[in-house]
Amino acid sequence: MFEIVGLIGAVLMALLVAAIVMTVLFLLKAVFFVITLPFRVLFALLFVPFWIAKTALRVVGAVVLLPLLAVLGILAVTVLALGAIAAVILPLVPIVLIGLLIWAVFRSFRPASAF
């Protein structure tokens, strides 16, 4: 019985030590964040012109490339649609040819006239 109480006490002490260590690490992280905040704000303000230039170049690139990509996309969809239609129709070609041959054979026989 005393062993279980001792084990529970050891587990609770380990959890307490872990909580204290995590609290200290969280406070150190918060202090580091607060100390470095002015430098991060300064560097962010220094890089705003580069961010604006990068965004402007992306917009120009999109304006130039989007019409070309739209035309290529329409062309690709057209080719894929024609391929799908061909994939459906081509297996039926032998049946159609046999039907045309049978029609031609029966067409060649003329019915005898009564007169």
Side-chain angles (χ1 to χ4, degrees), residues 14-114:
L15 289 174
L16 181 65
V17 169
I20 291 171
V21 168
M22 293 304 290
T23 304
V24 169
L25 290 176
F26 174 75
L27 289 175
L28 284 174
K29 182 179 176 182
V31 168
F32 183 75
F33 179 83
V34 169
I35 289 174
T36 60
L37 184 63
F39 298 107
R40 287 188 286 132
V41 169
L42 177 68
F43 285 123
L45 290 176
L46 288 175
F47 282 108
V48 166
F50 297 110
W51 176 73
I52 291 173
K54 182 177 80 168
T55 305
L57 286 175
R58 284 186 176 183
V59 168
V60 169
V63 167
V64 169
L65 287 178
L66 281 179
L68 177 66
L69 292 177
V71 170
L72 290 177
I74 291 171
L75 182 65
V77 167
T78 305
V79 168
L80 289 174
L82 289 175
I85 291 170
V88 170
I89 291 177
L90 284 179
L92 299 175
V93 169
I95 298 170
V96 171
L97 287 177
I98 291 171
L100 285 174
L101 286 173
I102 292 172
W103 176 76
V105 167
F106 281 117
R107 175 100 175 166
S108 66
F109 295 122
R110 303 258 177 202
S113 62

